[in-house]
Amino acid sequence: MDLEYSAEEIAFRDEVRQFLAENLPLEIAAKVDAGGELEKQDMERWHAILNAKGWLAATWPVEYGGTGWSTVERHIFSEECALHNAPRLVPFGLSMLGPVLIKFGTEEQKREILPRILDGRDWWCQGFSEPGAGSDLASMTTRAVRDGDDYVVNGQKTWTTLGQYANKIFCLVRTGTGGKPQAGISFLNVDLDTPGVEMRPIKLIDGGHEVNEVFFTDARVPAANLVGEENAGWTIAKYLLTHERTNIAGIGFSLKDLERYRRMASAMTRDGRKLSEHPIHAAALAELEADLEALQISNLRMLANARDGAASPIDSSLLKLKGTQLRQDILALMRSARGPDAAFWDESPANTNSDLPPHADHVAPTYFNNRKLSIFGGSNESQRNIVAQTLFR
Amino acid sequence: MDLEYSAEEIAFRDEVRQFLAENLPLEIAAKVDAGGELEKQDMERWHAILNAKGWLAATWPVEYGGTGWSTVERHIFSEECALHNAPRLVPFGLSMLGPVLIKFGTEEQKREILPRILDGRDWWCQGFSEPGAGSDLASMTTRAVRDGDDYVVNGQKTWTTLGQYANKIFCLVRTGTGGKPQAGISFLNVDLDTPGVEMRPIKLIDGGHEVNEVFFTDARVPAANLVGEENAGWTIAKYLLTHERTNIAGIGFSLKDLERYRRMASAMTRDGRKLSEHPIHAAALAELEADLEALQISNLRMLANARDGAASPIDSSLLKLKGTQLRQDILALMRSARGPDAAFWDESPANTNSDLPPHADHVAPTYFNNRKLSIFGGSNESQRNIVAQTLFR
Amino acid sequence: MDFSISQDHQMLADSLRRYFSDKYPIELRNKAGYSAPFHSPEVWTDLAELGVIGAFIDEDHGGFGGTAQDIAVVFEEVGRALCCEPLLGALMGARLLALSGQDQAAEDIVAGTARAAVAIFEPGVVCNLGAISAEARQLGGEWRLFGHKNAIYGGPGADLVLIAAHAGGKIGLFLAQSPDMQAAPMIDGGGIGDLVMDGLPAACICEDASAMIEETLDLARIALCAEANGAMDRLIAMTTDYLKQRQQFGRPLATFQALQHRLVDMVMELEQSKSITIRAVASFGSDDQARHVAMAKNLIGRAGTKISEEAIQLHGGIGMTWEYAGSHYAKRLVMIDHQLGDRHDHAGRLAAMD
Amino acid sequence: MDFSISQDHQMLADSLRRYFSDKYPIELRNKAGYSAPFHSPEVWTDLAELGVIGAFIDEDHGGFGGTAQDIAVVFEEVGRALCCEPLLGALMGARLLALSGQDQAAEDIVAGTARAAVAIFEPGVVCNLGAISAEARQLGGEWRLFGHKNAIYGGPGADLVLIAAHAGGKIGLFLAQSPDMQAAPMIDGGGIGDLVMDGLPAACICEDASAMIEETLDLARIALCAEANGAMDRLIAMTTDYLKQRQQFGRPLATFQALQHRLVDMVMELEQSKSITIRAVASFGSDDQARHVAMAKNLIGRAGTKISEEAIQLHGGIGMTWEYAGSHYAKRLVMIDHQLGDRHDHAGRLAAMD
């Protein structure tokens, strides 16, 4: 039993820390620290900095421009990034399409698409969910009919995160009929400027624009954009959805949030007592800290399992479950700590010239926005179903 | 809107209070107050006192020796009894078989059985559950085959509460085959001294003997003991199980337990601080008190609905759910308050010459014993199923 | 023992419900509630005409109500319709003006021709009147206020702002006319203000106002509880409908037992919330007032948050969208716990009362 | 980073698990644990021979272990087998004797020829050494103890009882030989004692023992956490099996989604419990020891209680019976939270550390 990183891993961590200290733009880190929203150029800037360093595609093999890092190194990198308030990397190209192409794509697709992900020419988004197909993804109905060298696509996708910044979308489309709903699904890349493709914003509960709907009306997409075999899309989707995500528990974010909470609580009073000395708040904080300490070990245990080839779906589902619950609990405590001032709202949280009084901040919108954590990316109910299947096998 | 009792109801409450003050034996009340177990003679004594007053059968019509009380009067009576530490009345004859006979029994059955319930000659117990039939009662298999003027009964019943004191048992038995499992069930009264009937104790988690198993091996039971028609037992069982129970939320018991808790907390210290001033314990107490205050009103609302003929199964199921959860939470708080001393155990809690140190008491066995509250009498899962059926109708 | 409401109350509730249903669609609400003046002057006039504000004070002061039950009936409908008009400020303002003998001002409030807001608490002071620090000083025969009041509900654009401040060893109540304040929408709709006072001129309308402020706060808490009940009732109904209608894996979500049981627990919390509000309403004015109101605000703070979070979760993505009315109900329910003391504040008050 | 345990530890765990499985049926446990001497002398001898007690202290003091990991390995098996032998007293006693230089006594403990118990806390003092009030006075050249020690685990019948008491401005450690105490079974099996001291003769084995007592308490808390993990693991396995086998409404309980989801949450709590124990074990002896041990005891107090209550509920009536082993696991898990500070005590300690 040894909880410590190896000497090499510690050296790697120090290298990451030094890099972050020297290269992460302070104004971006400050925005992240304040819980504000990032603008497109912030994300692009950080993407380019990492690309220049060669640290962008943590999960890709070196031959495709990836880092070749081990599971543990990937974990160290993503944890350090979170702790230093680096922006979260947009995963759709780097962590989703990239690995899919590397496994299922043609040589030409790899050669053409992967470099454009790295250098930021392409911003990909995801077209899986539909209004009638959420947890039950296989019930999706967007249809692609082969017509000569093209597919003609009709249907609607939804919950397309940051689609407003994207120029490309990878989609699941129905190309076959009959059989189980999982059969007859294909994986198709689509240019968003294709005629007949329209993106519309969805405003979320906190007023933010983060997700979109995408409508396809007789959109003609080259058949060469198919990834893998026709009707083999479900296998690819499953690979993508269960593709190892080192950061599924969101630990770095929870650590940062707890740090913000402690800062906040020691600066606030509540009815004549320092909030940090309020016994109910202090006990809640202590229990959340214990939970997070445990979750860090749980996460390391999963990493060690993965490294040793012993990963199981229970691991990642349980980490997702507990990680999202914990983060939501932390954000609820922060919201609660802010008291009546949590009500003050500024529709543009990126706006640093906000009119809000200085004692108001973004705790309430952040709390509401992150109710999504237990819904998106496989709802916590779906995760429980997955774990139950394994338990009762 | 008027939460107060009417003048008549207040007069009734005062009469009950006076009666309890004058007639409830102090040594019995003290045992109840201390959370100890009652012996058979304690229960019989209180039964006889109430019978002498004519206040025993709260739910029976006057013509059969009942009180003829209104719903509200029954509630007042049972609440006052709990608050004065009167023993809980054993319900099997008074609240279960009695009402069943009054509705479904023959004149002869009523004439013969009801007076013996009142004067204590018969102590009834219940034979519904079986090892393989709990929440799913209709799957029961104890079989009664008609043979001349008798039924021959074979099978096993379980969870027979206080069966060790009883001389009679009313049972559900399978008399028909085929069709839905609910068909072919009959309601049969059985003398426990019938050859082939054997009662065995079940020791519970807290070490107490409160429930039993009953085995039937070719037991011959007179067919005249059938209540209602042959194969009509399910209707009777349903009537019995949904028969209005004014005390389903157990409010009087929760009130007493909170009172005991406050007494305990103000007498105890914990690491140098009075337990009643311990902020976590005090906040937990405050929230339980709020929940109980609300539950009292919820209960009165249900009583008013019942009085006005508007009772719904949601009401009683929700009261059972919340009432049992709350009581269990209160008992958990008491257990927790007792700290390490909660571990001291005395197998005979009725024994007042206990060897236990005076700072130990029965909080842990009481807590464990009352985990039954959410299991017996229709598990809380079954109650949720019932409510859900109504919600999604 | 009678849990039905009076015929008059039923009529008031019915007329309000009809009005909101006919004239107050969620789109109007979301348009009015998030940009200055953070409410709809037309709706305000309508509500005044319907007698909503008049229900807040008694006949002696120009109203025709004023009991806790009157307030609960109104606010339950307010919650059911998710109305974000500045009624809480009007309730508190009208009460305090009436109790201070400002009859004309109270009448203006009731008539809807003036809007009132109340500034009692301060940054870091959310529930305990004893911890406020704003001061009133007489300068040249005129009262001037110093200090910082925050979270003033309905503050932006209010004509009459009633301000609690120390003066002469007591907490007095002062009236300022349309003071400038930092204005913002609340995340759950409606306006909120922040008032930094550095010599703000005001009239003293009561020299020793602690008791009337505490009473008014308790009444406002009852209003919030009733509002929460209306909102929970509606949100649970929306969730039930959604589960019945939404198909996953070939059958309605309503058939999944794990979801069923969670909905049942929500209903149970709602029933408890209704019950504790009934208790608080009945205790208003009695010795048990503070205790039962604190219980209500505590219990409903817990229940509202839980029902909100569960409703969003049971809806899935759709519950996260601005376009779906349910998300706004969910926000309101959580944010009610932030107003006038949250569950922990009131648990602490209860513990101190024992 | 390596979460596997060493080969030696694996062998120790395997041999213990085999022993318990072969020689320690629940019937034996329930017979031995509930009547004097509240344990089985035969099992005790076997455990000593298997090296269980020797694993508690290092080679310099007659043992062959003594690390937090040694203790965790043993107690996880103890928990899995629900063994109620007085090992916690032996652990604490052997450590304190060894640290006090009582080598012979420590060796007797390790050999199983003497039994030790430790009397630190008092009625109303459950976690804070600073609040104890027992005193030691020298009378005629001999130490005499005054005060009241309670909840002495394994106290009944113990040969050597180590007692913490004030002397000369410090907390000293005193050794009494087989003192008379009020003895009782614990509700979850095993013996517990209550010791009223009115001049009890004892030897002073350490004059300033606070640090070693705190360290020993933390180690004992780690033992309790590991024990809880073993018991939770087993109880969850029993619950899973029961749900798979038990039929209701014509299908296994395991197919009911509401029950499935609850079992998943239990498994999640167990994983968290294992993780926090790993953390506490690794921190033992470091600056983070007190903090991480308190976290572990807090988290496992919550997890154990929840898993216990849910396991009983998911079993239904059968989980309420003495005859079913699961009920005893459930009791033990709840009662572990009562030992050496419960979740609230440790949350309070953590808050004070921040």
Side-chain angles (χ1 to χ4, degrees):
Chain A
M1 185 84 68
D2 176 12
L3 270 61
E4 304 309 319
Y5 292 129
S6 69
E8 292 76 19
E9 287 161 350
I10 288 174
F12 175 75
R13 189 186 60 191
D14 293 342
E15 191 189 348
V16 172
R17 281 185 185 170
Q18 193 186 340
F19 172 78
L20 290 169
E22 289 168 4
N23 293 280
L24 175 61
L26 291 179
E27 61 275 30
I28 292 181
K31 267 192 201 176
V32 172
D33 191 36
E37 245 174 50
L38 292 176
E39 286 165 79
K40 190 186 183 195
Q41 52 264 43
D42 297 327
M43 296 186 250
E44 286 176 332
R45 191 167 159 206
W46 180 235
H47 183 104
I49 292 169
L50 286 178
N51 188 40
K53 174 76 176 172
W55 279 5
L56 190 53
T59 63
W60 300 6
V62 178
E63 54 189 301
Y64 296 111
T67 60
W69 284 337
S70 73
T71 316
V72 176
E73 285 167 333
R74 296 207 290 271
H75 164 73
I76 288 172
F77 179 74
S78 85
E79 188 165 80
E80 290 300 322
C81 282
L83 292 177
H84 286 79
N85 290 313
R88 194 168 201 164
L89 287 170
V90 179
F92 306 106
L94 290 168
S95 313
M96 301 177 119
L97 183 62
V100 157
L101 289 179
I102 289 165
K103 188 167 173 75
F104 299 97
T106 63
E107 270 317 306
E108 198 185 331
Q109 285 171 334
K110 292 181 206 176
R111 222 174 36 238
E112 193 184 302
I113 300 174
L114 295 178
R116 296 173 57 94
I117 293 176
L118 292 179
D119 66 18
R121 269 177 294 165
D122 288 339
W123 184 309
W124 286 86
C125 62
Q126 182 185 27
F128 278 20
S129 295
E130 297 184 2
S135 293
D136 181 13
L137 189 57
S139 69
M140 48 141 291
T141 59
T142 295
R143 173 159 296 285
V145 178
R146 184 69 180 251
D147 182 30
D149 286 342
D150 294 335
Y151 285 103
V152 180
V153 183
N154 281 284
Q156 184 192 345
K157 295 293 178 181
T158 191
W159 311 128
T160 306
T161 301
L162 298 185
Q164 68 265 40
Y165 301 147
N167 62 330
K168 309 262 188 183
I169 184 169
F170 55 86
C171 299
L172 294 182
V173 292
R174 194 162 288 284
T175 42
T177 50
K180 286 172 61 179
Q182 287 81 359
I185 290 175
S186 298
F187 190 105
L188 190 66
N189 292 336
V190 181
D191 268 345
L192 281 171
D193 56 10
T194 307
V197 179
E198 191 199 348
M199 172 117 27
R200 291 184 206 156
I202 297 175
K203 191 171 170 182
L204 285 186
I205 186 170
D206 61 334
H209 175 199
E210 172 174 328
V211 293
N212 302 269
E213 303 176 288
V214 187
F215 295 85
F216 297 87
T217 313
D218 292 331
R220 297 192 76 89
V221 178
N225 286 13
L226 196 71
V227 179
E229 302 286 308
E230 191 176 88
N231 297 335
W234 188 253
T235 312
I236 303 178
K238 267 205 327 200
Y239 173 78
L240 187 156
L241 292 172
T242 60
H243 190 259
E244 181 230 322
R245 281 173 287 176
T246 40
N247 198 23
I248 196 167
I251 286 170
F253 301 104
S254 287
L255 284 169
K256 285 309 287 184
D257 285 336
L258 275 183
E259 186 188 309
R260 287 174 64 206
Y261 175 77
R262 279 188 295 259
R263 220 153 58 197
M264 188 169 148
S266 62
M268 285 180 71
T269 57
R270 188 143 177 140
D271 286 340
R273 176 162 53 180
K274 277 183 74 169
L275 192 66
S276 53
E277 287 160 11
H278 188 298
I280 304 286
H281 283 260
L285 173 63
E287 299 202 337
L288 291 173
E289 287 176 331
D291 289 343
L292 183 55
E293 193 70 47
L295 190 65
Q296 287 180 272
I297 302 294
S298 296
N299 196 48
L300 293 177
R301 286 167 61 209
M302 186 202 71
L303 288 179
N305 278 347
R307 182 193 59 197
D308 307 342
S312 91
I314 285 198
D315 287 337
S316 68
S317 290
L318 287 179
L319 285 175
K320 205 271 180 176
L321 270 173
K322 190 71 198 181
T324 53
Q325 279 177 10
L326 182 53
R327 183 116 186 272
Q328 290 179 334
D329 287 346
I330 294 169
L331 295 174
L333 184 66
M334 291 178 79
R335 171 181 59 63
S336 159
R338 187 52 80 205
D341 292 331
F344 284 87
W345 188 56
D346 178 354
E347 196 158 358
S348 315
N351 178 8
T352 46
N353 297 318
S354 163
D355 268 345
L356 292 193
H359 48 85
D361 55 14
H362 304 301
V363 291
T366 303
Y367 159 84
F368 285 112
N369 178 278
N370 283 293
R371 301 313 302 173
K372 74 186 175 195
L373 294 177
S374 48
I375 296 173
F376 292 0
S379 76
N380 282 12
E381 289 72 31
S382 302
Q383 306 294 347
R384 286 198 182 86
N385 288 340
I386 292 170
V387 179
Q389 260 182 8
T390 314
L391 290 175
F392 290 120
R393 197 165 40 199
Chain B
M1 184 87 64
D2 176 12
L3 270 61
E4 305 309 319
Y5 292 129
S6 68
E8 292 76 19
E9 287 161 348
I10 288 173
F12 175 75
R13 189 185 61 189
D14 293 342
E15 190 188 350
V16 172
R17 283 185 183 169
Q18 192 184 343
F19 171 78
L20 290 168
E22 289 168 2
N23 293 280
L24 175 62
L26 290 180
E27 59 276 27
I28 291 182
K31 268 191 202 177
V32 172
D33 191 37
E37 243 174 52
L38 292 177
E39 287 167 78
K40 189 185 183 196
Q41 52 265 44
D42 296 325
M43 297 186 249
E44 286 176 332
R45 191 169 159 205
W46 179 236
H47 182 104
I49 291 169
L50 286 178
N51 188 41
K53 174 76 175 173
W55 279 5
L56 191 53
T59 62
W60 301 5
V62 179
E63 55 190 297
Y64 296 110
T67 60
W69 284 336
S70 72
T71 317
V72 175
E73 284 168 334
R74 297 205 290 271
H75 165 74
I76 289 172
F77 179 73
S78 84
E79 189 165 80
E80 291 300 321
C81 281
L83 293 176
H84 286 77
N85 290 313
R88 194 167 200 164
L89 287 171
V90 178
F92 307 105
L94 290 170
S95 314
M96 300 177 118
L97 183 63
V100 158
L101 290 178
I102 289 164
K103 188 166 173 78
F104 299 96
T106 62
E107 269 318 303
E108 198 184 331
Q109 284 171 334
K110 293 180 205 176
R111 219 171 43 235
E112 194 185 303
I113 300 174
L114 295 177
R116 295 173 58 95
I117 294 175
L118 291 179
D119 67 16
R121 269 177 295 166
D122 288 340
W123 184 309
W124 286 88
C125 62
Q126 181 186 28
F128 278 19
S129 295
E130 297 184 2
S135 293
D136 181 15
L137 190 56
S139 69
M140 49 143 288
T141 60
T142 294
R143 173 159 296 284
V145 178
R146 184 69 179 251
D147 181 32
D149 286 343
D150 292 337
Y151 285 103
V152 180
V153 182
N154 280 284
Q156 183 191 347
K157 295 293 177 180
T158 192
W159 311 127
T160 307
T161 302
L162 299 185
Q164 68 266 39
Y165 301 149
N167 63 330
K168 308 263 188 181
I169 185 169
F170 55 86
C171 299
L172 293 182
V173 292
R174 195 162 286 285
T175 43
T177 50
K180 289 171 60 179
Q182 288 80 356
I185 291 175
S186 297
F187 191 105
L188 189 66
N189 292 336
V190 181
D191 266 346
L192 283 170
D193 57 9
T194 307
V197 179
E198 192 199 347
M199 171 116 28
R200 291 185 206 154
I202 297 175
K203 192 172 170 181
L204 285 186
I205 186 169
D206 61 333
H209 176 199
E210 173 174 327
V211 293
N212 303 270
E213 303 176 287
V214 188
F215 296 85
F216 297 88
T217 314
D218 292 332
R220 298 193 74 89
V221 179
N225 286 13
L226 196 72
V227 179
E229 301 287 309
E230 191 175 89
N231 298 334
W234 189 252
T235 311
I236 302 178
K238 269 204 326 199
Y239 172 77
L240 186 154
L241 292 173
T242 59
H243 190 259
E244 182 232 321
R245 282 174 287 177
T246 39
N247 198 23
I248 195 167
I251 285 170
F253 300 103
S254 287
L255 283 169
K256 283 310 286 183
D257 284 336
L258 275 183
E259 185 188 309
R260 286 174 64 206
Y261 175 78
R262 279 187 295 260
R263 221 154 55 198
M264 190 169 147
S266 62
M268 284 180 71
T269 58
R270 189 147 179 135
D271 286 340
R273 177 162 52 182
K274 278 183 73 169
L275 193 67
S276 54
E277 287 159 12
H278 188 298
I280 304 285
H281 282 261
L285 174 63
E287 298 201 338
L288 291 172
E289 287 176 331
D291 288 344
L292 183 54
E293 192 71 46
L295 191 65
Q296 286 180 273
I297 303 292
S298 296
N299 196 48
L300 293 177
R301 286 166 61 208
M302 186 202 71
L303 288 178
N305 277 348
R307 181 195 58 197
D308 307 341
S312 90
I314 285 200
D315 287 338
S316 69
S317 289
L318 288 179
L319 285 175
K320 205 267 180 179
L321 271 173
K322 190 71 198 181
T324 53
Q325 279 177 8
L326 182 54
R327 184 117 186 272
Q328 290 179 333
D329 288 346
I330 294 169
L331 294 173
L333 183 67
M334 292 178 81
R335 170 181 60 62
S336 160
R338 187 51 83 203
D341 292 331
F344 284 86
W345 187 57
D346 179 355
E347 196 158 0
S348 316
N351 178 6
T352 45
N353 297 318
S354 163
D355 267 345
L356 293 193
H359 48 87
D361 55 16
H362 305 299
V363 290
T366 303
Y367 158 84
F368 285 112
N369 178 279
N370 283 294
R371 300 314 301 173
K372 74 186 174 194
L373 293 177
S374 48
I375 296 173
F376 292 0
S379 75
N380 283 11
E381 289 72 31
S382 303
Q383 306 294 347
R384 285 196 183 87
N385 289 340
I386 292 169
V387 178
Q389 260 182 8
T390 314
L391 289 176
F392 291 119
R393 199 166 35 201
Chain C
M1 200 174 65
D2 179 10
F3 292 96
S4 56
I5 60 174
S6 72
Q7 241 184 338
D8 285 354
H9 284 143
Q10 193 59 55
M11 279 170 57
L12 177 59
D14 289 347
S15 72
L16 262 175
R17 201 181 297 198
R18 209 163 33 236
Y19 171 78
F20 286 129
S21 155
D22 293 349
K23 301 282 179 60
Y24 194 73
I26 187 84
E27 295 78 17
L28 165 61
R29 184 246 181 222
N30 285 350
K31 192 159 180 304
Y34 286 104
S35 52
F38 308 112
H39 83 114
S40 157
E42 294 74 31
V43 171
W44 191 253
T45 306
D46 290 347
L47 290 177
E49 278 172 15
L50 278 164
V52 165
I53 310 174
F56 297 161
I57 54 177
D58 62 20
E59 290 171 22
D60 293 350
H61 297 96
F64 36 81
T67 68
Q69 183 66 57
D70 294 315
I71 277 74
V73 165
V74 166
F75 273 87
E76 188 171 327
E77 295 309 321
V78 164
R80 192 171 277 115
L82 202 67
C83 175
C84 64
E85 292 295 306
L87 287 163
L88 195 68
L91 163 63
M92 298 175 75
R95 299 286 291 199
L96 289 171
L97 287 168
L99 290 168
S100 305
Q102 305 288 312
D103 289 0
Q104 182 55 50
E107 276 170 40
D108 293 345
I109 303 299
V110 167
T113 52
R115 282 212 299 103
V118 169
I120 297 169
F121 292 120
E122 305 176 358
V125 184
V126 306
C127 210
N128 179 359
L129 210 54
I132 70 170
S133 62
E135 282 181 29
R137 295 182 212 141
Q138 268 187 315
L139 297 174
E142 209 188 19
W143 284 100
R144 299 284 187 153
L145 304 181
F146 298 84
H148 185 170
K149 295 290 173 181
N150 75 332
I152 304 166
Y153 302 115
D159 306 291
L160 306 174
V161 178
L162 291 92
I163 301 164
H166 288 279
K170 295 188 171 126
I171 290 177
L173 194 60
F174 297 83
L175 179 59
Q177 308 283 335
S178 307
D180 265 349
M181 57 177 86
Q182 262 184 307
M186 297 203 283
I187 185 159
D188 48 333
I192 189 167
D194 197 73
L195 178 62
V196 177
M197 306 178 296
D198 187 21
L200 177 73
C204 177
I205 61 170
C206 179
E207 288 179 5
D208 184 4
S210 294
M212 73 167 74
I213 292 174
E214 290 288 9
E215 189 201 80
T216 301
L217 282 170
D218 273 352
L219 197 60
R221 290 175 183 129
I222 288 176
L224 289 169
C225 289
E227 182 183 351
N229 290 338
M232 287 190 253
D233 200 48
R234 187 78 197 89
L235 184 57
I236 288 176
M238 292 169 85
T239 308
T240 309
D241 287 347
Y242 183 78
L243 293 177
K244 284 159 93 166
Q245 158 257 312
R246 173 78 172 173
Q247 304 271 326
Q248 292 267 62
F249 305 102
R251 54 197 180 103
L253 285 180
T255 62
F256 288 86
Q257 193 193 30
L259 309 187
Q260 289 179 351
H261 282 198
R262 286 161 69 173
L263 188 70
V264 170
D265 286 343
M266 292 161 70
V267 169
M268 190 167 71
E269 298 296 328
L270 169 59
E271 291 304 320
Q272 287 286 91
S273 297
K274 287 180 180 171
S275 290
I276 202 69
T277 306
I278 289 170
R279 176 75 273 170
V281 165
S283 295
F284 190 75
S286 81
D287 289 347
D288 287 329
Q289 171 185 313
R291 183 172 155 78
H292 285 157
V293 169
M295 282 182 169
K297 193 69 177 53
N298 166 276
L299 192 155
I300 283 170
R302 291 181 274 147
T305 304
K306 178 174 167 165
I307 287 172
S308 167
E309 295 184 345
E310 286 288 86
I312 292 175
Q313 186 68 24
L314 292 178
H315 275 91
I318 198 79
M320 288 290 300
T321 62
W322 187 273
E323 200 184 338
Y324 183 67
S327 74
H328 299 280
Y329 281 88
K331 268 189 291 189
R332 180 72 192 124
L333 283 172
V334 166
M335 297 313 294
I336 281 178
D337 191 37
H338 287 253
Q339 296 189 271
L340 307 183
D342 72 8
R343 64 172 279 201
H344 300 306
D345 299 316
H346 287 286
R349 292 179 70 217
L350 286 165
M353 288 177 205
D354 273 341
Chain D
M1 202 174 65
D2 178 11
F3 292 97
S4 57
I5 60 174
S6 72
Q7 242 184 338
D8 284 355
H9 284 144
Q10 192 59 56
M11 280 171 56
L12 177 60
D14 288 347
S15 73
L16 261 175
R17 202 181 296 198
R18 208 160 37 235
Y19 172 78
F20 286 130
S21 154
D22 293 350
K23 301 282 180 60
Y24 194 72
I26 188 83
E27 296 76 17
L28 165 59
R29 184 250 182 217
N30 285 349
K31 193 160 179 302
Y34 287 104
S35 52
F38 307 112
H39 82 117
S40 156
E42 294 74 32
V43 171
W44 191 252
T45 306
D46 291 347
L47 291 176
E49 280 172 15
L50 279 163
V52 165
I53 310 174
F56 296 161
I57 54 177
D58 63 19
E59 290 172 23
D60 293 350
H61 297 97
F64 35 82
T67 68
Q69 183 67 57
D70 294 315
I71 277 76
V73 166
V74 167
F75 273 87
E76 186 170 327
E77 295 309 321
V78 164
R80 193 171 276 115
L82 203 67
C83 174
C84 65
E85 292 295 305
L87 286 164
L88 195 69
L91 163 63
M92 298 177 76
R95 299 287 291 199
L96 290 171
L97 287 168
L99 290 168
S100 306
Q102 304 289 310
D103 290 0
Q104 183 55 50
E107 277 171 38
D108 293 345
I109 303 299
V110 167
T113 52
R115 282 213 298 105
V118 169
I120 298 170
F121 292 120
E122 305 176 357
V125 184
V126 306
C127 210
N128 179 0
L129 210 54
I132 71 170
S133 63
E135 282 181 28
R137 295 180 212 144
Q138 268 187 314
L139 297 174
E142 207 188 20
W143 285 101
R144 298 284 188 150
L145 303 181
F146 299 85
H148 186 171
K149 296 289 173 182
N150 75 331
I152 305 167
Y153 303 116
D159 307 292
L160 305 174
V161 178
L162 290 91
I163 300 163
H166 287 277
K170 295 186 171 129
I171 290 176
L173 194 60
F174 298 83
L175 179 59
Q177 309 282 336
S178 306
D180 265 349
M181 56 178 86
Q182 262 184 307
M186 298 203 284
I187 185 159
D188 49 334
I192 189 167
D194 196 74
L195 178 61
V196 176
M197 306 178 296
D198 188 21
L200 177 72
C204 178
I205 61 171
C206 178
E207 287 179 6
D208 184 3
S210 293
M212 73 166 74
I213 292 174
E214 291 288 8
E215 189 200 81
T216 301
L217 282 171
D218 273 353
L219 198 60
R221 289 175 185 130
I222 288 176
L224 289 169
C225 289
E227 182 183 351
N229 289 338
M232 285 190 255
D233 200 49
R234 187 78 198 89
L235 183 57
I236 288 177
M238 292 170 85
T239 308
T240 309
D241 287 346
Y242 183 78
L243 293 178
K244 282 159 97 165
Q245 157 259 312
R246 173 76 173 176
Q247 304 271 327
Q248 291 266 62
F249 306 103
R251 56 197 180 103
L253 285 181
T255 62
F256 288 86
Q257 193 193 32
L259 309 187
Q260 289 180 349
H261 283 198
R262 287 162 69 173
L263 187 70
V264 170
D265 287 342
M266 292 162 70
V267 170
M268 190 166 74
E269 297 294 329
L270 170 59
E271 292 304 320
Q272 286 287 90
S273 298
K274 287 179 179 170
S275 290
I276 201 69
T277 306
I278 290 170
R279 177 76 273 172
V281 165
S283 296
F284 189 74
S286 79
D287 290 348
D288 287 329
Q289 171 185 313
R291 183 172 155 77
H292 285 157
V293 170
M295 281 182 170
K297 193 68 177 55
N298 166 275
L299 192 156
I300 284 171
R302 290 181 275 147
T305 303
K306 177 173 167 166
I307 287 172
S308 167
E309 294 184 345
E310 286 289 88
I312 292 176
Q313 185 69 25
L314 292 178
H315 275 90
I318 199 79
M320 288 289 301
T321 63
W322 187 274
E323 201 184 336
Y324 183 68
S327 75
H328 300 281
Y329 281 88
K331 266 188 294 191
R332 180 71 192 125
L333 283 171
V334 166
M335 298 313 293
I336 281 178
D337 191 36
H338 287 252
Q339 295 189 273
L340 308 183
D342 72 9
R343 64 173 280 200
H344 300 305
D345 299 316
H346 287 287
R349 291 179 71 216
L350 286 165
M353 286 177 207
D354 275 341

